[in-house]
Amino acid sequence: PRILDELYGILQSRGVPNHSNTIELLLERIRGNDPNLTQLDLRGMGIGQEDNDAIMDALAGNAYLRKVDLSDNMIDDDGVSALSLALADNTSITHMCLAENRITSIGAEYLLCALDTNDTIVDVDLAGNSIDAGVMDELNHALKQRRTVDGY
């Protein structure tokens, strides 16, 4: 991903090629509402609860991010609960990838509740998580209705 390559370059020039510094630089851009940051790709970054909470807090007030990929991390139901609260305030994110995490049906229910207050999300990828088919069907149905109405 171009943004991560750019950040790694900055970090290496500073002599600190480190995961937490990469996350912190991205958080600064997210909190600062960088209009050039419309896609956030943090897949496979080993994001756990501490990073997750900071990321979700930053996402809540961002007005430019459209697509967020947090796949292949260690995000669990508590992380999705924080995400759901962030999505209640966020009006820009349309696509969220949470595939291959540690999310169960409880986390998917949190996302369903978030859809009640957030009308911009049109796509959520939860592949590779332990979610009951009935809950996935309900989430997919709600998202499909949005895509039909919004023309996606």
Side-chain angles (χ1 to χ4, degrees):
R2 199 175 98 238
I3 296 294
L4 283 180
D5 290 343
E6 184 179 313
L7 288 173
Y8 285 131
I10 292 168
L11 289 171
Q12 288 174 345
S13 71
R14 294 180 184 174
V16 281
N18 171 318
H19 162 78
S20 61
N21 288 331
T22 301
I23 298 292
E24 190 54 43
L25 282 174
L26 280 171
L27 287 175
E28 286 176 24
R29 290 183 69 187
I30 296 167
R31 284 186 205 111
N33 260 321
D34 181 344
N36 296 313
L37 186 63
T38 59
Q39 296 184 40
L40 180 65
D41 186 350
L42 293 174
R43 65 189 144 171
M45 294 288 290
I47 294 169
Q49 193 62 42
E50 185 178 325
D51 287 333
N52 185 76
D53 289 345
I55 291 166
M56 298 316 151
D57 286 343
L59 289 178
N62 187 279
Y64 295 101
L65 278 171
R66 300 286 181 257
K67 295 181 180 184
V68 177
D69 188 343
L70 296 169
S71 61
D72 195 22
N73 282 290
M74 297 178 287
I75 298 170
D76 60 12
D77 295 335
D78 290 336
V80 176
S81 175
L83 170 62
S84 297
L85 293 173
L87 291 175
D89 295 328
N90 183 285
T91 58
S92 64
I93 297 172
T94 59
H95 295 74
M96 177 71 60
C97 183
L98 296 164
E100 304 298 331
N101 277 287
R102 299 176 180 174
I103 302 166
T104 69
S105 296
I106 293 168
E109 291 281 355
Y110 291 144
L111 288 171
L112 271 168
C113 290
L115 294 179
D116 290 340
T117 57
N118 177 307
D119 60 358
T120 58
I121 296 283
V122 294
D123 186 56
V124 176
D125 182 354
L126 290 168
N129 288 290
S130 299
I131 301 169
D132 293 337
V135 175
M136 279 306 303
D137 288 346
E138 191 175 347
L139 183 62
N140 287 332
H141 178 73
L143 293 168
K144 183 179 180 182
Q145 285 182 316
R146 288 170 178 236
R147 288 189 298 265
T148 303
V149 169
D150 294 338
Y152 281 92

